[in-house]
Amino acid sequence: MAKKTAPVQEQKSGLVARVMEFKNYLELSRAELRKVTWPTLRETRATSVAVLAFVVAMALFLGVVDLGLSKLVSLLFSA
């Protein structure tokens, strides 16, 4: 499937060329955003809760591991 591209224009320089490039970028971006399948509110909430639960679980796990290793190091260096 061939992609649509902007027609080839004469090489312009300076501010006008930059403005035209930016306008083309915005038009192409808008076209691509229309193709996106956005998640529903329910899907967004579900994935957000899953991420938050994972972050909390990892924070607790790493906290326990850090505490254990800190106690181990303090025991080794206090002897």
Side-chain angles (χ1 to χ4, degrees):
M1 176 151 67
K3 288 188 171 186
K4 286 187 175 180
T5 58
V8 178
Q9 298 177 353
E10 295 178 20
Q11 293 292 331
K12 296 181 182 179
S13 61
L15 183 61
V16 174
R18 289 181 185 238
V19 170
M20 294 302 291
E21 287 176 13
F22 185 67
K23 182 182 174 190
N24 186 38
Y25 168 76
L26 290 177
E27 289 172 354
L28 292 174
S29 296
R30 186 174 183 200
E32 287 299 319
L33 284 173
R34 290 179 186 262
K35 296 177 186 177
V36 173
T37 303
W38 297 101
T40 64
L41 183 60
R42 186 175 184 182
E43 291 171 333
T44 303
R45 284 184 183 157
T47 54
S48 296
V49 167
V51 168
L52 288 174
F54 182 75
V55 167
V56 168
M58 287 303 297
L60 291 172
F61 172 74
L62 292 174
V64 169
V65 169
D66 182 52
L67 182 65
L69 291 175
S70 296
K71 294 290 183 185
L72 180 65
V73 168
S74 67
L75 283 174
L76 290 174
F77 285 120
S78 68

